[in-house]
Amino acid sequence: MEWKNIYRGFLMGISDLIPGVSGGTIAFILGIYDRLLIAISGFFSREWKKHIGFLLPLGIGVGLTLVLFSKLINFLLENYEQPTQFFFLGLIIGVVPFISKQAGVKKNFTIGHYVLLIVVGVALASTVFIKPADAVIITSLSMQNALGLFFAGWAGSMAMLLPGVSGSFILLLLGVYATAINALSTLNLPIIVVIGAGVIVGFIASSKIIHYLLNTYTHAMFAIIIGLILGSVFVIYPGIPDSGTPFVMSVVALITGLIVANMFNAADPSEK
């Protein structure tokens, strides 16, 4: 068992609680993105035993974080929204040089790749103008809302695996985010199970697709990923804080995020 994956799952779980922040981006920062895709798709095959040691600790970390820190994230977003968002901005901006180096942008990118990067980034950034669906907190299940929650979990999980695209933001757009956070905070197991089932199905389907595309269209996929990450900066950006304490806290949070991303990026890949 790779028990150090618990802390990686912890970081991914926190990111998945923040609308606009992608667990896939955190996986890239931690250097485990490609292996994560392989492990998820491989777990649902005859070779599942090869991947359980990687996925189980990671899943424990994510699960514990979602249950234990949903209230804390709610508190931080309600009381310190701008510093919290600036911390994740620092993480996201800090990972771009790392991914660009992995992709060999200067060597491998053509004009077409740069155009693709820009189009994808602008498309994601434009979602800031989309009004989220009205949030009605669902606390009990019916056949209709259970199907809706299942497919929302499916859509959210597919987004979680794409760097730059936030599963929480997709849930927010679908009007399900408040229900999901409330269910985690109150341990509403029926709601958690339905959304969780959608998440699992989405992981299975999307991991295979993304892994295939990364292997077959490597440079184009890197262009898409970098575009998604740059576009997510505009989604998360909360605006310039007021002068005084909020401004100082946000600057410190941004710098801290950049330092944390650099620490992970500079680590020996063999240790990741």
Side-chain angles (χ1 to χ4, degrees), residues 69-83:
F69 289 89
S70 56
K71 291 183 179 180
L72 174 61
I73 295 299
N74 265 347
F75 172 80
L76 290 174
L77 289 175
E78 288 177 3
N79 297 279
Y80 303 99
E81 179 181 6
Q82 289 181 316

Side-chain angles (χ1 to χ4, degrees), residues 16 21 33 46 51 79 102 106 113 139 141 182 246 251:
D16 285 327
V21 182
Y33 183 71
R46 293 179 180 179
H51 306 288
N79 297 279
Q102 275 199 325
K106 293 182 179 179
H113 290 124
T139 56
L141 291 175
N182 180 72
V251 171

Side-chain angles (χ1 to χ4, degrees), residues 104-116:
V105 168
K106 293 182 179 179
K107 177 182 178 181
N108 298 319
F109 273 29
T110 64
I111 294 177
H113 290 124
Y114 286 109
V115 170
L116 180 60

Side-chain angles (χ1 to χ4, degrees), residues 145-160:
N145 64 29
L147 285 173
L149 291 174
F150 175 84
F151 284 110
W154 185 329
S157 69
M158 292 182 73
M160 288 176 198

Side-chain angles (χ1 to χ4, degrees), residues 25 28 95-105 163 222 225-226 229:
T25 302
F28 243 119
V95 79
V96 172
F98 171 69
I99 297 179
S100 298
K101 183 178 179 180
Q102 275 199 325
V105 168
F222 268 117
I225 288 169
I226 295 172
I229 290 174

Side-chain angles (χ1 to χ4, degrees), residues 159-239:
M160 288 176 198
L161 286 179
L162 281 172
V165 184
S166 164
S168 294
F169 184 64
I170 298 299
L171 294 182
L172 190 66
L173 291 178
L174 296 174
V176 176
Y177 180 74
T179 293
I181 290 295
N182 180 72
L184 288 170
S185 300
T186 60
L187 289 181
N188 188 328
L189 292 181
I191 302 291
I192 293 173
V193 168
V194 170
I195 297 177
V199 167
I200 291 171
V201 172
F203 274 154
I204 297 170
S206 55
S207 63
K208 293 179 181 295
I209 294 171
I210 296 170
H211 186 249
Y212 168 78
L213 292 174
L214 272 172
N215 284 337
T216 309
Y217 306 101
T218 304
H219 303 316
M221 282 300 293
F222 268 117
I224 290 173
I225 288 169
I226 295 172
L228 289 171
I229 290 174
L230 293 176
S232 71
V233 169
F234 295 92
V235 176
I236 300 171
Y237 178 63

Side-chain angles (χ1 to χ4, degrees), residues 79-80 82-83 86 240-253:
N79 297 279
Y80 303 99
Q82 289 181 316
F86 270 102
I240 300 295
D242 297 331
S243 58
T245 303
F247 180 81
V248 174
M249 290 177 65
S250 295
V251 171
V252 171

